[in-house]
Amino acid sequence: MSKMHVKMTVNGRAVEALAEPRTLLIHFLREELALTGPHIGCDTSHCGACTVDLDGKSVKSCTVFVAQANGAEVTTIEGLAAADGSLHPLQEAFREHHGLQCGFCTPGMITRAYRLLQENPNPSEAEIRFGISGNLCRCTGYQNIVKAIQAAAQQMAVATTAPGEAAE
Amino acid sequence: MIPGSFDYHRPRTLEEAVSLLASLGEESRVVAGGHSLIPMMKLRMALPEHLVDLQDVAELKGIRIDGSQITIGAMTTQAEMIASAELARLCPILRETALQIADPQIRSLGTVGGNVANGDPGNDLPGLMQALDARYLLRGPGGERELPARAFYEGPFTTALDPGEVLAAVRIAAPAAGHGWAYEKQKRKIGDYATAAAAVLLELEGGTCRKASIALTNVGDTPLLAEAAGRALVGTAVDAAAVKAAAEAAKAIAAPAEDGRGPRAFRVHLTDVMVTRAVEKARSRAS
């Protein structure tokens, strides 16, 4: 039951640590790496507050052992803003459209929405609701979360259109 | 909730995994996506001393299609199964069912093999595999064997898998072109197991049902093949009387637990509703 040497890339940064294999990824991120953006909500893989991106998939980091994530690439909410500190379009849109009230679910919600838009850049409202169905919000009633994700999708589509194309 | 301690192993081949399990003995468990096992470990209802993680075993991944024969590697995730256009064409009930498992994050790690091998009557794929008459490819220290899904489930979390054996793949003969299908699941909320669910496959010929297969999820200690319910449709036009007869036959074998999902009578009633809806939807999709 000894500790193991764990290496992974978190938000673009190579990290290494000794950890017990049973350490949950959420605890490793929060306690070892001080990335307290992903939250522990239910601790039973229901609420989605601990959602992070693991090798290009949305996962609930309360239900992944650090040993399973050894060698993986992880992105947390802390990794979404640009290097100069400017917010990701999803973060901007959540602020603009009041996509949060207490904010507890927000890191997981945005990290999940980030992957959803990678997989489906132009989702319908129904697709957004289905795509975030593993993330619970107890404040907003989801209306403004959906609006924020729709607005971010539009913003990101504009941003990826080359200037010449937009003019045509 | 902190799970018990364990040693972690990550073999690269199935052979290595099987020999690890043999040498580590009974206190070892395989972990696939982990979304059934890890919650159990967090509750300390499972306390394996060794975890053998199958994520690097490439031969357990992927979907292979050879004519009408479908082979789904055990480590194929539910999300990968949903994304397969070929599976959606050949056997669309796989996608329809997988979309009703848990939620997107869980489906991105949860595997086909884990869902069928775990033996939890709440899992959705075991019921579906009854209806599809799937076969499971098992690999153990003594070699390989194939077992019908209909002979695999013995009780809650009890299956025909021998100690040290690994479920390697699921094999399905695709239903005939033009078949009708539906998986109807009633659940309290996203992420929950079924209060009751039904898988239906049927084939029509000139408006008459020539083949039908119905199975139930989470209304018994194991997934239930509702043979009499299927028989009630065969030879009929799947009219209201036949649908009612099938639903009655399914209800007759439902023996759900009393739990937070409701009293027994309610879940038996929902079995009726799910079978009725699934048969009607399957009929409307058949050609």
Side-chain angles (χ1 to χ4, degrees), chain B residues 152-237:
Chain B
F152 186 76
Y153 299 96
E154 296 171 350
F157 301 97
T158 311
T159 68
L161 204 61
D162 285 336
E165 238 178 356
V166 175
L167 190 146
V170 173
R171 288 184 172 156
I172 299 161
H179 73 278
W181 77 93
Y183 189 75
E184 286 288 315
K185 176 178 179 180
Q186 173 71 48
K187 54 189 175 184
R188 297 172 301 178
K189 59 184 173 60
I190 288 285
D192 194 18
Y193 291 129
T195 306
V200 172
L201 293 152
L202 56 81
E203 293 172 26
L204 297 181
E205 192 174 326
T208 301
C209 178
R210 67 171 177 201
K211 197 173 170 189
S213 159
I214 299 178
L216 312 174
T217 293
N218 214 20
V219 290
D221 284 349
T222 62
L224 300 175
L225 178 68
E227 282 182 281
R231 275 199 306 273
L233 298 180
V234 174
T236 75

Side-chain angles (χ1 to χ4, degrees), chain A residues 17-81:
Chain A
L18 281 176
E20 282 193 80
R22 66 171 168 168
T23 308
L24 296 162
L25 180 58
I26 185 68
H27 292 140
F28 183 77
L29 294 170
R30 291 177 56 87
E31 290 158 25
E32 185 71 32
L33 305 181
L35 294 171
T36 55
H39 290 157
I40 301 172
C42 68
D43 202 13
T44 55
S45 64
H46 287 96
C47 78
C50 65
T51 298
V52 302
D53 214 60
L54 175 74
D55 285 338
K57 300 169 176 181
S58 288
V59 305
K60 294 184 171 178
S61 60
C62 75
T63 309
V64 176
F65 288 126
V66 73
Q68 294 172 290
N70 193 11
E73 259 185 60
V74 177
T75 304
T76 68
I77 186 72
E78 288 91 342
L80 291 188

